[in-house]
Amino acid sequence: MTQNKIGSVMVVGGGIAGMQSALDLADAGYYVYLVEKGPSIGGVMAQLDKTFPTNDCAM
Amino acid sequence: MNIEIITLAEIQDISGEAGNFSVDVLKHPRYIDEDKCIACGVCAEKCPKKITDTYNAGLSKRKAAYVEYPQAVPLKYVIDQDNCIYLQKGKCGVCKKKCPVDAVDFDQKPENRTVNVGSVILAPGFEPFSPESFENYQYAKHPNVITSLEFERLLSASGPTQGHVTRPSDNEEPKKIAWFQCVGSRDMNRCDNAYCSSVCCMYAIKEAVIAKEHAGDDLDCAIFFMDMRTHGKDFERFYDNAREKSGVRFIRSRVHTVTPVPGSDDLELRFVTEDGTLKTEVFDMIVLSVGMQTPKALVDLSKKLGISLSAGNFADTETFSPVATSRPGIFVSGAFQGPKDIPQAVVDSSAASAAAAELLADVRNTCTKEKEIVPEVNVLGDRPKIGVLICQCGTNIAGVVDVPKVVDYAATLPYVELATDKLFACSQDAQDNMVELIKEKGLNRIVIAACTPKTHEPLFQDTLTAAGLNKYLFEMTNIRNQDSWVHKNNPEMATEKAKDLVRMAVSKVALQEPLKEVQLPVNQTAMVVGGGIAGMAAAKSLSEQGYETHLVEKGNCLGGQARQLFMTAKGESIQKKLAEMITAVEADKRIHLHLDTELSHVDGFVGNFETTLSSNGNETTLEHGVAVLATGASPHKTSEYGYGTDERIITSLDLDKKLMDDDPSLTTLNGAVFIQCVGSREPERMYCSRICCTHSIENAIQLKEKNPDMNVYILYRDIRTYGEKELLYKKARQLGVIFIRYSLENKPVVKADKDQLTVHVMDHILNMPLELNVDMVTLATAIIPNTDEKLSNFFKVATNADGFFIEKHAKLGPSEFSTDGVYLCGLAHYPKPIDESIAQAKAAVARAVTLLAKQTIFSSGTVAMVDPMLCAACGVCVSICPYSAPKFTEEGRFEGKAEVNPALCKGCGLCVASCRSGAIHLKGFDTDQILTQIFEMDEAV
Amino acid sequence: MATKEPKIISFLCNWCSYGAADLAGVSRMEYPANIRVIRIPCTGRMSVKFVLAALRQGADAVWVSG
């Protein structure tokens, strides 16, 4: 393991999973680069209408 | 502030090692300057090129200059390079001419960037399976055969039909819709996806239920499925309600062909029912429940990065390190780790954060930025001097509302010292100017009339803070989203409305006072309750991240239920891994073990808990900032199927023990039967225990491998080997394990005599009773949570009807409670296999660390406050508050009166509205502030 | 005013309906301008007092949404 550790993390993918990781890490004291291939974050979840089993709005 | 979003970007390569990677990123041009774009939408409006809208799954059109959807983050337009006329042919450029802020920049080029980071988390997601190759389902040919994602857009209020379900061919309302399950999943014939996609059964049920809600009872919804997989928390009830209450039809069959009905847009289905009869039925529309798969490009990238993949092309992980890829320092979450639903993706993602944070704990806070603190000017008691800033928002507001008129009007209002307008109030130069104006004119209240406070209030509040003004001396009023945009054909009324809104805001802000955010320290010690796998994993992760952790276990040893388990679904020995884990926990200097210990009292609140531990009559007090509850579950004690009357009738755990002991009697058995759902999915326990199908199949394979001649039967209701566990199911069938389905109404019957056990079961395919003569019957018993009412009361956390803890939010907060500072993981949340328990333990820790890392917490300024002189001590506020913020003062002059803990108050105002004595004030939304807005409306209405 | 337009005062919850009203704008929907919105932190904040005050103030209708 390297001695020169860097206190930042890259999260690849801006869907619900990537966003959650990014938020957790930023709030825990790490700088986060959130890399998304599309023009905006949100992923597939942003395309869903409601979510099971509570039928909450996905947006 | 500490997240940099890099959009339109792809990873090219990763070099270096855990702790110090360098990542090559290719950023594609947006052709619109993000810093300048104000998302007014003129570019899209003027763009002449129309193309297919991928956001709406191809069901509608969008322009080449576009924003994916109105809530997109970042809310910046983009020009689609492949479809832009200018970028393709060098002509057009209308958007550039029309953009009010000159943001369009056709000269942008792709950029290569190298970023140095300590760790990488891969959360690239999945692609929905494309059913074009399934010719017999007519997807490519017939407009009324659509995918589930397309149907999702049809249901959505923001979709192409505003949520009105119509079929594509003629825009008629369908009367009969069929869903086909497992399209692109559990299928090696027409595609290569042997795994189960885990989510399609549930989303199909949801879509059917919601479609019926939209269309009413005369819509007939039928779901064609193989096994109904509703194995998640509260899923089984959802399924049951869909069938019993909503009237969704469930047909166990894989539809073989679809033929268009001549002379109509309808479709005829041919399928074979379970008893072998060939049936046909006509539907108006078909929804294909497409599965998830890893895109080809991602498979290639993984190879390049040295990330090994599973058989189904998901990132390969081990059960005891569920989010670590094969390459150290690179973690995985979401659907790339395996097909999964949103809650599980959220759990994994937090777990991946914890794993990265464990690696980088000693360099925490070395790359983050902190805000500069400007000393606050005390304006308490000063006469209000209000500054009013009206935003033109380019032409968004000014194009409808007569801004100069509103400015002139604002200047006449009481206490207004200055009224002015800005082209874009949110622009950096406008912000700088605002700071100057506050200082120069000595303003002590600010009103901004612009867009919505939901997105821009924090930005303007930062500007106030930068000017040394308390950020609550501010009011924002919405003259764009709720005025100019919705009254564009009535500019006069819109201008009048803007004036009214400004007047209301001015009157409110005049009554505003500077508010304090109470600062509270967060105790940096953690407590974990429960010494099973989840509890140990949580304690270990906390310790790795540098936190002193107390692990409390009521039994006399660590390990919990895992002590009785033989093998994971991936074939790893549980006892070996468990022993390693226990040794690591015991050796950890930051983990303080409390065996034979229970909680006898809990005091305090988030960041400052005080727990009394009781061990053999000795009590000790522990101060801690957070608590993780991992109290686990136990096997259901059954008396069904003759359990307890004959030693040949055993439970899954008994069989695991025999397998661990390598019991020689197992090889000599002639026949063995497994009975599933013993105590699960029944009216008194309406949930699926999630792991039993996989567990029994693993054990059946063990038996078959010990003795291939043994007759092994699994009697089941639905096989629920979700994700890549499906491969085990396939392997078991290949080894000759016989699967026989039974129904709840017609359960198997076990009869024991001296020589053998006889199991009677009704075979659904042959439609005749079978008699199985075997030597062993294994019962897959339900998983029952270890309910502890005392513990629930201590931390004010609730349990559901089944006794499992209720998390903060089923999807977005699966590992934390509504009570701040308390987290949950493992079987106490819901039955789950070891990898998911460990992931949730890490997730709970990741969430806890976001609190611990702050070291101090600030309450919001907009909280409730009790005037003890008026309080009648009736207790309504104490009982009504959902966050337990008010309580009775225990000592001093106001003993017995209510007081509100600002750290717990969420500022909802429920107590204020309920207080009979008018003793409670909600700062920032106080009664006089709301009343003044109502009174000021007088002129308006 | 030539025709009688009802005067409506609405109290919208910051977390849902207020956001929905914003979205109506983003989607460029149109509705009559004779409505005034008061943003409240939660409908839990709503009190009968506010409804009565609004009616006394001459409102024809009060709309609480959250």
Side-chain angles (χ1 to χ4, degrees), chain B residues 676-692:
Chain B
Q676 298 305 109
C677 298
V678 181
S680 304
R681 302 181 63 196
E682 296 193 347
E684 67 271 28
R685 214 170 285 106
M686 195 44 101
Y687 63 89
C688 163
S689 294
R690 192 171 175 105
I691 57 173
C692 339

Side-chain angles (χ1 to χ4, degrees), chain B residues 193-205:
Chain B
N193 299 341
Y195 55 83
C196 158
S197 291
S198 306
V199 299
C200 326
C201 285
M202 274 304 285
Y203 77 56
I205 301 175

Side-chain angles (χ1 to χ4, degrees), chain B residues 358-378:
Chain B
E358 288 166 27
L359 172 70
L360 302 175
D362 40 355
V363 287
R364 186 211 311 251
N365 292 327
T366 55
C367 292
T368 45
K369 296 168 197 160
E370 279 197 42
K371 276 185 206 163
E372 212 184 316
I373 296 163
V374 179
E376 199 172 293
V377 183
N378 184 8

Side-chain angles (χ1 to χ4, degrees), chain B residues 130-193:
Chain B
S130 167
E132 279 179 26
S133 58
F134 281 33
E135 282 179 16
N136 54 342
Y137 286 167
Q138 307 282 348
Y139 174 72
K141 290 187 202 143
H142 202 290
N144 293 338
V145 182
I146 64 171
T147 69
S148 43
L149 201 61
E150 289 163 0
F151 194 73
E152 203 72 45
R153 296 311 304 152
L154 285 184
L155 285 175
S156 173
S158 68
T161 59
Q162 283 84 45
H164 187 73
V165 177
T166 52
R167 63 178 192 177
S169 72
D170 52 9
N171 294 322
E172 290 290 314
E173 279 181 27
K175 294 285 168 229
K176 285 183 80 177
I177 310 177
W179 276 259
F180 292 2
Q181 298 309 106
C182 300
V183 176
S185 309
R186 303 180 69 188
D187 190 345
M188 289 297 276
N189 297 325
R190 290 173 297 179
C191 65
D192 273 336
N193 299 341

Side-chain angles (χ1 to χ4, degrees), chain A residues 5 8 24 39-40 50 54, chain B residues 68 206 350 359 811 847:
Chain A
K5 283 194 200 170
S8 61
D24 286 342
S40 55
K50 304 281 188 336
T54 46
Chain B
E68 281 188 294
K206 173 204 73 178
S350 289
L359 172 70
K811 282 164 285 290
R847 299 302 300 148

Side-chain angles (χ1 to χ4, degrees), chain B residues 658-678:
Chain B
K658 284 176 190 284
L659 287 164
M660 280 191 270
D661 296 345
D662 203 9
D663 191 327
S665 70
L666 292 179
T667 47
T668 58
L669 299 174
N670 290 317
V673 162
F674 291 84
I675 301 178
Q676 298 305 109
C677 298
V678 181

